Amino acid sequence: MHPSATQISDKLFVAPQPDLADFPDLAAAGFVGVISNRPANEQPGQPSPAAERHAADEGGLSFHFIPVTASTITEADVRAFQKAVSEVSGPVFAHCKSGVRAASLHAIGEVLDGRLAQQDLADLSTKWGVDLSIAAKWLARDAERRPRVKGFFDPRTFSVQYVVSDPATHQCAIIDPVLDFDERSGSITTTSADAILRYVAEEKLTVQWILDTHPHADHLSSAHDLREKTGAPTAIGAHVREVQRLWQVIYNWPELKTDGSQWDRLFEDGERFTIGTIDAQVLFSPGHTLSSITYLIGDAAFVHDTFFMPDSGTARADFPGGSAEQLWDSLQAILALPEDTRLFTGHDYQPLGRAPRWESTVGEQKARNIQLAGVDKPAFIGARQARDRSLPMPKLILQALQVNIMGGRLPEPESNGRRYLRLPIDAFGEVSWET
């Protein structure tokens, strides 16, 4: 269909980077969609994602941006690639610098889904004329990782929820689950939580823990709902009591218990526990909030809203009780972990329109985080505070906090049987407005 493209499947063709002038030819050749697997600014002179998207739109082609490098491919990238191919109604032109990364994403997905045996990669490499060593190395490394981590992205709140499991015992923990809330109608559903429970059932897992990293400001927690459905205990950091006392004043809520008794376990800094046979440890990571903690489970750290992905930087530190200085210290403590420690973030806002991503490593964050690499503490604090002054408050902060400081419990029904949320007026003084 195109002289530079190698056919990989009925729908998928991979190729080196095309010029923008080639996009009309792609449409004329019968392609329906384009996938770019090349990070922005990887090489001087390459077309930007925005320019490629515009050229695709002009040619009537769909466009997906799923940037990866050989060392940063994650399962989220593989699944995003599969989804992009499946959603397009006809042939797809996927490219990177040479086509190798695009072919590797496809091959990894085929092995993960059982349609291809890992030992067949060498024959496929010869058949396609594409080096699949990246895929082989990724699969070998993935097979050794403990724990197993499944991320669930919620596009409404840009939140990531996790099921973290021990393959040896099939015990698991659910981390930062979302309770779906529509602020316009006041409607609540358990769609996100139910998807997690379906995965747990399909994988024959037993829920051992329901863990929150902190009381979230941008979504409601479904921890209590999942506790009711699974019987698993809930846990959060012990400093949540300080958050409760802070918000008790903001909500003028004298009846609120501020002893953390809404959770089954309050973790102190350094406290240890297990998920199946996998050791876990709690790291106190304040800055984003007073009570933020990191869960270090095997070779994986769940860093909530401290780190975002390297192309997004770090979390804000201007919520009540937040501190840019404390956030810096927490970030440095996480960066002191081994370089190959996997870091799983709590949000992804998809810069440049790329597909959602949520997994990085300590080494990757050190080298590439746009707000940390080559920056000292004073510079970080100044930039973080300046950035925070320009940000509007999360649209659900006042709704979410009164549920989340209760461990995900909704307000009690009133005399008419309905539940009501409280919205204090001017709780934060002068803030940026979202337009």
Side-chain angles (χ1 to χ4, degrees), residues 47-206:
S48 70
E52 285 203 34
R53 189 181 299 276
H54 178 73
D57 288 343
E58 289 288 302
L61 301 160
S62 68
F63 180 77
H64 292 83
F65 182 43
I66 309 172
V68 297
T69 68
S71 62
T72 63
I73 291 174
T74 70
E75 185 176 350
D77 301 314
V78 173
R79 300 309 184 188
F81 187 84
Q82 289 179 316
K83 185 171 184 285
V85 173
S86 68
E87 287 178 347
V88 177
S89 60
V92 178
F93 184 95
H95 76 83
C96 49
K97 183 178 180 180
S98 65
V100 167
R101 282 168 275 180
S104 297
L105 288 169
H106 171 79
I108 291 169
E110 292 296 288
V111 174
L112 291 179
D113 292 341
R115 290 183 292 272
L116 179 69
Q118 189 169 342
Q119 58 266 30
D120 294 334
L121 289 179
D123 290 340
L124 270 184
S125 184
T126 300
K127 176 182 176 182
W128 295 339
V130 177
D131 181 4
L132 293 178
S133 60
I134 291 173
K137 291 175 182 176
W138 189 96
L139 289 161
R141 185 171 66 249
D142 183 66
E144 298 300 318
R145 284 172 168 162
R146 299 292 183 274
R148 308 297 295 172
V149 180
K150 175 68 173 178
F152 295 80
F153 182 71
D154 174 38
R156 286 175 61 107
T157 63
F158 302 96
S159 304
V160 191
Q161 314 152 85
Y162 294 102
V163 176
V164 185
S165 59
D166 173 20
T169 64
H170 294 278
Q171 297 281 322
C172 75
I174 298 171
I175 299 181
D176 289 335
V178 170
L179 183 66
D180 304 292
F181 173 67
D182 178 44
E183 68 276 12
R184 292 162 296 189
S185 66
S187 300
I188 285 178
T189 72
T190 58
T191 302
S192 294
D194 292 343
I196 289 174
L197 291 178
R198 281 196 300 274
Y199 173 80
V200 167
E202 289 165 0
E203 298 296 315
K204 297 180 173 57
L205 302 175
T206 300

Side-chain angles (χ1 to χ4, degrees), residues 261-277:
S261 58
Q262 296 87 350
W263 288 267
D264 297 299
R265 178 98 168 252
L266 299 182
F267 284 121
E268 299 286 353
D269 183 31
E271 194 164 349
R272 296 179 181 274
F273 63 106
T274 60
I275 297 172
T277 60

